[in-house]
Amino acid sequence: MGFRLGIVGLPNVGKSTLFNALVKASRAQVASYPFTTIDPNVGKVPVPDKRLEVIAEREGSERATPTFIEFVDIAGLVKGASRGEGLGNQFLAHIREVDAIAMVVRCFERGDVPHVEGSLDPVRDVQIVDLELVMKDLETVKGRMSKVEKSARGGIREAREEMKHLKTLMGYLEDLEPLRRHLKDMEEETVSYAKTTLFLLTLKPVLYVANVSEEDLPDGDGNPCVEALKGIARNENSPLVVICADIESQIASLEEEEAEEFLKAYGLRERGLNRLIREGYKLLDLITFFTTNRKETRAWTVKRGTRAPEAAGKVHTDMERGFIAAEVINYRDYVKVSSLAEAREKGLVRLEGREYEVRDGDIIYFRFKV
C-alpha cells in the first residue's frame, strides 16, 4: 500500500521546482509558463528519521533502509479547470488518486516568472484551487443523485439512505465550501460514504506550503502573504510549511557537508524538505515501526491504529498469515540500553498478541509459523 501526497497549486508557484528538490532529480521539467507538467510525476521520497541510523549502528546491521512516502507533482490548476479549462479534468483526475494534498502557494515576487493571476494574493489563490475542487465534487454528487433518485422515490431503503447522505453533502458544496472544513458538522456515516463511495476531492486533508524568496527565510515573518496563508491554515487546523523551493533545489544538488554550510548561511537548522516530508507523513496519520537484524535495519510505514498481524504483513505476507506474537520495545525505552540483547536481559521487551496496536517507534520481532 502506497501513501501519496499530491503537490497542487496554480501554475508558476514553484511546484515542479519543489518536486525536483524532493526527489533530487530533474524528471519534472521546470519552465516559466503554465502546463509544463502534463502527466503527473511520481517520486518515492525517504522519510528522514534519525532513529533508523541509531538502531542500525547499535545492532551492527550491514545496511539501514528507510521507509518512503510518494509525492506526485500535479500540473497547475487554473480557473475553470472543473469545466475543462487548461488541462483541468486531467489534473482533477490525478488529484483524485492521491491521499492528501500539499497546496503550494506563491508568496514571492519574481518579474521573470509572472503570476498567472497577475498579482500575489494567497487567499485568492487558495480560493481558486478550492473552488475548482468543489465544482468537481458538486458534479460527482449531482451525477450520483440522478442515478439513485428513482430508487429512493420507490422506497428502496439503501437508496433512501444514500440520498440522505447526498443531500447533506450537496448542502455544504452549494455554499462553495470544501467539505474538509465541515468534517465536525457531518455524521461519521456521511463522511465515510463520501470518502469510500464518491472519493470526493475536498475531503482530502491539506498541507499548505508557503513558497517564499530566500530573503524571507527561515519562517516568512513579516511577509504579508505568509501571514495571510497562516490564517487560512489556522482556521482549518491544517499544517503549514514555509519553504524556498529555489534554495531547496540548490541544497539538493550539494554534498552533505556543503549542504550543512549552506543551511547555516540562511539560518536554517534543517532542510525545509525534511519538515515538508514529516508534516505530510503526520497529515496522512502515518507512523513508523522498525525491524532489525545483522543484515538490515528497516523502517516501515503503517496507519496509526494498525494491529500487529497487519504490520507483520508489511514485512512479509507469511508473517501475517502465520502470526503468533510480537516481541516489542519502543524506541524511547530502547535508547536507555545499549542493544536489544541488553533490553531482553532487563525485561524491557514485551510480548504482544493479535490485538496490539503498533505505536510509532516500536522495534518489533514477529513470531510466526506457516
Side-chain angles (χ1 to χ4, degrees):
M1 176 172 55
F3 300 100
R4 288 184 148 203
L5 195 66
I7 304 176
V8 171
L10 300 182
N12 296 346
V13 299
K15 295 183 300 80
S16 293
T17 302
L18 186 61
F19 177 82
N20 286 340
L22 277 164
V23 298
K24 295 186 179 179
S26 301
R27 284 182 289 156
Q29 183 186 358
V30 180
S32 59
Y33 52 87
F35 315 127
T36 300
T37 310
I38 296 174
D39 293 316
N41 293 271
V42 182
K44 287 184 70 174
V45 179
V47 177
D49 196 327
K50 293 179 180 177
R51 298 174 297 183
L52 177 68
E53 298 297 333
V54 171
I55 299 167
E57 184 177 345
R58 288 187 174 196
E59 301 306 317
S61 299
E62 293 175 14
R63 64 177 180 271
T65 304
T67 188
F68 291 85
I69 186 171
E70 289 187 358
F71 280 83
V72 185
D73 180 24
I74 299 173
L77 282 162
V78 295
K79 281 182 181 177
S82 57
R83 302 188 303 274
E85 294 293 326
L87 299 173
N89 286 324
Q90 189 177 350
F91 300 164
L92 291 164
H94 293 152
I95 294 172
R96 196 178 298 281
E97 294 169 1
V98 301
D99 301 298
I101 293 169
M103 193 183 301
V104 182
V105 181
R106 181 167 168 172
C107 297
F108 65 90
E109 294 277 8
R110 186 169 161 182
D112 61 329
V113 182
H115 192 293
V116 72
E117 291 295 316
S119 63
L120 291 185
D121 185 341
V123 175
R124 175 205 61 209
D125 293 354
V126 170
Q127 287 174 342
I128 289 172
V129 175
D130 276 342
L131 181 58
E132 298 309 321
L133 301 183
V134 166
M135 297 307 291
K136 195 64 180 177
D137 280 354
L138 266 172
E139 180 185 310
T140 300
V141 171
K142 286 177 180 177
R144 186 62 187 169
M145 287 179 89
S146 67
K147 288 183 178 179
V148 301
E149 193 171 14
K150 185 176 179 181
S151 298
R153 283 203 308 266
I156 297 175
R157 186 175 63 82
E158 292 82 359
R160 291 176 66 181
E161 275 295 312
E162 189 171 356
M163 186 60 75
K164 188 179 95 173
H165 294 316
L166 289 165
K167 286 180 177 177
T168 299
L169 297 167
M170 180 71 81
Y172 291 118
L173 291 169
E174 283 183 332
D175 290 335
L176 304 183
E177 283 277 320
L179 292 172
R180 66 177 182 273
R181 295 178 186 165
H182 298 284
L183 284 171
K184 292 181 180 177
D185 305 321
M186 288 188 281
E187 294 180 358
E188 281 186 28
E189 293 85 354
T190 300
V191 174
S192 177
Y193 167 78
K195 286 181 177 179
T196 60
T197 303
L198 300 181
F199 306 102
L200 297 183
L201 305 177
T202 61
L203 274 176
K204 294 183 185 293
V206 170
L207 158 66
Y208 290 101
V209 182
N211 190 11
V212 302
S213 62
E214 58 185 80
E215 291 81 11
D216 288 317
L217 291 173
D219 45 28
D221 285 349
N223 182 320
C225 291
V226 175
E227 293 306 316
L229 194 57
K230 283 180 180 177
I232 295 172
R234 196 162 43 243
N235 289 338
E236 292 185 9
N237 198 27
S238 295
L240 179 142
V241 175
V242 176
I243 207 165
C244 176
D246 282 341
I247 292 297
E248 295 295 335
S249 184
Q250 293 177 52
I251 294 173
S253 64
L254 298 175
E255 296 296 328
E256 197 61 38
E257 286 187 15
E258 293 176 310
E260 296 277 346
E261 293 301 316
F262 202 97
L263 289 169
K264 287 179 186 176
Y266 283 95
L268 300 170
R269 287 183 306 230
E270 65 172 344
R271 300 179 187 193
L273 297 180
N274 288 358
R275 297 197 309 277
L276 175 61
I277 295 165
R278 283 200 301 269
E279 288 296 341
Y281 204 69
K282 285 196 292 184
L283 184 68
L284 292 169
D285 204 22
L286 305 177
I287 61 169
T288 300
F289 74 91
F290 304 92
T291 56
T292 185
N293 54 41
R294 286 288 181 181
K295 193 172 184 180
E296 179 185 45
T297 293
R298 184 162 179 172
W300 303 88
T301 297
V302 291
K303 280 275 191 182
R304 191 178 305 279
T306 296
R307 288 188 167 84
E310 187 182 345
K314 291 282 292 183
V315 182
H316 198 286
T317 53
D318 283 350
M319 288 188 176
E320 181 173 10
R321 189 158 51 90
F323 180 87
I324 298 172
E327 294 181 18
V328 183
I329 181 172
N330 195 270
Y331 184 81
R332 291 192 304 272
D333 295 318
Y334 175 75
V335 291
K336 297 174 184 176
V337 294
S338 61
S339 67
L340 274 176
E342 185 182 345
R344 285 192 175 93
E345 288 173 7
K346 293 191 173 182
L348 296 176
V349 178
R350 315 181 307 276
L351 197 63
E352 301 286 358
R354 303 187 67 85
E355 296 304 309
Y356 176 71
E357 291 187 2
V358 175
R359 298 174 185 173
D360 184 62
D362 278 351
I363 303 166
I364 307 178
Y365 174 78
F366 294 107
R367 292 185 184 180
F368 68 105
K369 183 178 181 180
V370 291

